[in-house]
Amino acid sequence: MGQSSSARLKRMSSMIELINELWYLKRDLVSDDYDRALYRLAQEVDGRMRIHEYPTGEPCWTWRVPEKWTCQEAYLETLDGRRLIDVANHPLHVVSYSIPFEGIVSRQALLEHLHVHPHLRQAIPFVFKYYQRDWGLCTTQELRETLSEQNYRVVIRTSFEPGLLKVGEVVIPGESEESFALVAHLCHPAMVNDDLSGVVVGLEVARALLAGAKPHYTYRLLILPETIGSVAYLSHNEALIPNMAGGLFLEMLGNDSPHALQGSFQPGSQADRCLTTALRGLDTQGYTAPYRTVINNDERQFNAPGVRVPMLSISRVERRDSPTWPYPEYHSSLDTPAIISAERLEASKQLVLGLLQAWENNQYAVNNFKGEIFCSGYGIWVDYRLNPEGHRRLFEIMERCDGEHTIADIASELEIPFQAVQEITHTLNEKGLVRYSREPHSTRPARMQSK
Amino acid sequence: MGQSSSARLKRMSSMIELINELWYLKRDLVSDDYDRALYRLAQEVDGRMRIHEYPTGEPCWTWRVPEKWTCQEAYLETLDGRRLIDVANHPLHVVSYSIPFEGIVSRQALLEHLHVHPHLRQAIPFVFKYYQRDWGLCTTQELRETLSEQNYRVVIRTSFEPGLLKVGEVVIPGESEESFALVAHLCHPAMVNDDLSGVVVGLEVARALLAGAKPHYTYRLLILPETIGSVAYLSHNEALIPNMAGGLFLEMLGNDSPHALQGSFQPGSQADRCLTTALRGLDTQGYTAPYRTVINNDERQFNAPGVRVPMLSISRVERRDSPTWPYPEYHSSLDTPAIISAERLEASKQLVLGLLQAWENNQYAVNNFKGEIFCSGYGIWVDYRLNPEGHRRLFEIMERCDGEHTIADIASELEIPFQAVQEITHTLNEKGLVRYSREPHSTRPARMQSK
Amino acid sequence: MGQSSSARLKRMSSMIELINELWYLKRDLVSDDYDRALYRLAQEVDGRMRIHEYPTGEPCWTWRVPEKWTCQEAYLETLDGRRLIDVANHPLHVVSYSIPFEGIVSRQALLEHLHVHPHLRQAIPFVFKYYQRDWGLCTTQELRETLSEQNYRVVIRTSFEPGLLKVGEVVIPGESEESFALVAHLCHPAMVNDDLSGVVVGLEVARALLAGAKPHYTYRLLILPETIGSVAYLSHNEALIPNMAGGLFLEMLGNDSPHALQGSFQPGSQADRCLTTALRGLDTQGYTAPYRTVINNDERQFNAPGVRVPMLSISRVERRDSPTWPYPEYHSSLDTPAIISAERLEASKQLVLGLLQAWENNQYAVNNFKGEIFCSGYGIWVDYRLNPEGHRRLFEIMERCDGEHTIADIASELEIPFQAVQEITHTLNEKGLVRYSREPHSTRPARMQSK
């Protein structure tokens, strides 16, 4: 997992530079700005990104690819022509995928189509109505409160036309066809933490993997529009699904909250055990929570029936009971480069690489020994009088090296970090006492079970 | 489960009418009055009741059918001929299956054979000594306290003769030979809530099933003397046992206590999961409790070794720690029509039909979809901003429709009513997104399990 | 398990007599005194002890047999010849397996090699450095505090020579080759409770087994030096391992603490279930605790990877949070005959025999009956009005006699003593209602599992 030599890939922009360059684009699901952003990102991986295209109307399991949507113009005026809201001032002023509308509407009728943020008075909310076929504008609570006239003029000029939904895929081939998916979505216009932060971290991780030694697993970074992008990709690549051993969704990685690792639908999977125990060793501030209890994203499509890939998610999210969950500026015009930092993006990138390193290393520990090891003889004795905790841990790990437990299984059982187990198993491996295996290989003597 | 058209069966008597007609009969295990009651009940199902006869002495697994027992006369007199207790005044004045006895006994000797109720001062208790071969009379605490003479005269004229133990069976044939048993006992003389209330509810349920469309399962109502009736029937119908997928014992359904659904010996069975989750949706006052913790009846024979039918029981029973558990008038002469109501019998009948409806409908939900469903496209979207609970539930149920979970499995896992799950799966079924299957049919992609 | 006729074996010495005779010997791992003690013990079993010899340097899995160690002389003197410490006064004054050393050392240098007990001021500690190749003396805190001179003279004359590690094995052949191991170590010089108490109890248990009727299981008492003795034996008898169905390590059985039964690495094993539920019926003061939480000994080698024999341990040990855990005089010169009693040794012997009796009797209870048993007819009825607890227990046990539960399984499930279950199953067995089987034999009717 060569983090060291990522310089071999031509470096063009830092994560922060990419964010500054791309964040304000109107990256709606299928849109010109979405495409611009994706092609720009592709440049960062030196031709290694393949772009899948799915035309409007294309069936994707129970879904269909939506039209390309463009907003030419959208504003609200008083009848005497005073312009109050204008999408030219901020892309979020129009509901994403709003249908076109033009006319004089009463104040009352307007308010039904004019969205504000539930608690941020000065923010424009992010509202999308991809499939509801409604029109709408968005503004601040402050502006809405000033609306006292009887009637207003609304102009929303949008077009729905055949287009191509695009999914960017960077494959890092491994020794095995078994794969691990990294997924981030790119379709949140003019916002940063959600969702561009996950995209740039994913890209940096992919760059590091590409630059490193060939891994065991094949890794696959997918950059896509939320939900429909995952469904489009999976439904057109069904043959890959049986080989997907795990995955991680990336999002909200620049703001100032602790890392939250959300488990998959299959909490006993190796992916869950490995990543949750590895987090303990990588970020003591981080926390874990079950499926669907941190935040919902594309991992839902991967975990869903008929797919059932154990995909976790990593994000920086406040605890669920916080009044500003998942973070204060969520889905609003305040989600700007100001709320993220390069340090936090870098820390998240390192965390993800650390999780993947654990994933690579998670194998069955098979004992070449029987009985307890002669620790003094192998120079690995820990004196219980001096370090009782270290002594106990050495033996607790050693006695689970039996070809039936992976490193993650041992760490889960002992409720300790993956890395603490790996440190011991690697020592035992170096001494020739333990070998690693991708398959279970029980060394338990066959014993009659009769009474 | 056609509750609607039960009129197709000739109606003769309401549940209350049957109770008023039959309750005071001396329905001892094998007795003329038991037979009278059973034949009268048979008239209510229009020739659909088959009556099985097992002669006295017939071996039934480890049991033998007892003799027919008749009490011609039983009384207690002072030596000067003042009659204090007389079975002619109430059938419970004699111990059921008392042996004959006639003689002068001391007050002390009498008291050893004279039973009173432990806490009801004015009630005659129900005492039975089917296999102990003892004589006995029963009376009120009040009367016993007046007994101050040295000696008394006891006359108990009973006879034990060869007879026929009778089990009434009403079969409602289903599409499948897999069956579900409804069981109630009829052998509690001159009492109502225990046990006649369960019998009449069972009969009404059978009438409703007979009048309805052909069900999937075969249903079998058994009316029998407690314990020995079940053993006699099961031991003579062993070939049916492997097809018995579940069952429900019925009793104490007229009094004023909440419904108690007692689980079977196999709490993970589909019968247990289905009925306990269905109760949640049918009776919010009802409660569930494990096997043997509510009240013991014939379900014990069905759950026993070598039979192992998961049979639950439904009754109206006070919580176990109540001083008047299971209900105040239990096993006494105060268990009369006065303590039950037609409304409660009807409510219990509807509850049982509701439980059976869930049982009929409990199938594996097999996804015709992969990934998450395009809810908007199918018109089943629940807006998480307006109804977060409904949104979450829709997805939690949808993601468990995988051919490995029955409706009851999903409801158990989510700790919600069976009906709440069924509402969603039925919608998905109507949309062609889910199909039902009586067999599991996993749709999980085969995945390498190596590390 | 004929405890009665143990007189058939020639009796020579009581447990206390053996302890008094052998405790002060310098029973280091491989040493002349160890051998003396073992040969003396062998006399007590009338030629039934086989002594295995493993020469110095012999590979034993990852271990090698150490040298025989002898201490000719060891003392500490002031430079003017005042002798402060002398191994001639107590064997614990020298570190077991200390290397030889002779010279003038500064007070500071001396203190690094002079060990005292952590909290007993007047005790000499037991210190061993089998594999560290260091020199050392041991003394009391009191003496150490008087050391105020600049320099001292140290003389340690020890030798390391080729020798034979010895393991004593007493086999009690059973009907089956499946075996149960009793293990105690003998290598703690000049101490009693740890470890000689376990050895003499084990020997008495073996004598009782030898004198009794032929058991079902083969029993095997092993007396050995700690750890290396177990590894030597197991590595040279690998063919026996698959037949080892369980085991019990014995130690610390003379002092005044409650019995502690420590579970094995496999807490669901029959050995664990049987012994832990049997303890409940044998010693109401005793307690159980998971693997590695009471005290660590040779059971570790048996439970280890590649061996995986479920070996429990029994000892008299204070609760883990006691400041004097495992007992005040542990690993010190105060562990003398004064802290043990013949009564406690005898009670421990009886306890171990009781545990083994349960182990012998632990079989699957297979029902010859179906349904519930006609208890009155078989004379085993318990009147629920008189003894509701006894009634309930009778039925709870009876309904688990299904060929899928051992006696230990039933006792574990009901959280009651093994003996309470056995009492019922034995009654049922006598009545021909239950048969015992060493193999599971399910009597559950095959049932369709479809919905």
Side-chain angles (χ1 to χ4, degrees), chain A residues 367 369-374 376 378 384 395 398-402 433 443-448 450-451, chain C residues 61-63 178 217 238 241-242 244 266 270 291-292 300-301 304-308 362 406 438-439:
Chain A
N367 52 316
F369 62 93
K370 294 181 184 178
E372 285 188 346
I373 294 165
F374 178 32
S376 305
Y378 286 86
Y384 62 89
F395 281 96
M398 184 199 301
E399 78 193 359
R400 286 169 173 80
C401 293
D402 59 3
L433 293 162
T443 62
R444 177 191 304 252
R447 185 159 289 129
M448 299 167 58
S450 71
K451 293 283 92 284
Chain C
W61 288 337
T62 62
W63 301 67
E178 266 199 295
Y217 291 98
E238 288 204 31
I241 294 174
M244 291 184 177
Q266 301 170 73
Q270 286 297 322
Y291 188 55
R292 281 190 187 280
R300 286 164 49 157
Q301 305 312 316
V307 187
R308 285 286 191 257
N362 185 34
T406 61
R438 300 267 164 200
E439 311 288 337

Side-chain angles (χ1 to χ4, degrees), chain A residues 176-242:
Chain A
S176 167
E177 288 189 17
E178 266 199 294
S179 70
F180 188 94
L182 294 161
V183 180
H185 56 65
L186 180 64
C187 62
H188 283 29
M191 284 171 287
V192 174
N193 195 45
D194 180 12
D195 55 1
L196 202 49
S197 70
V199 172
V200 296
V201 167
L203 205 72
E204 279 288 293
V205 167
R207 286 176 54 94
L209 296 176
L210 283 168
K214 188 171 194 176
H216 170 74
Y217 291 97
T218 293
Y219 293 83
R220 188 170 268 118
L221 171 67
L222 299 169
I223 299 175
L224 37 70
E226 189 172 359
T227 304
I228 181 64
S230 291
V231 175
Y233 177 84
L234 288 168
S235 62
H236 286 75
N237 290 280
E238 288 204 31
L240 293 176
I241 294 174

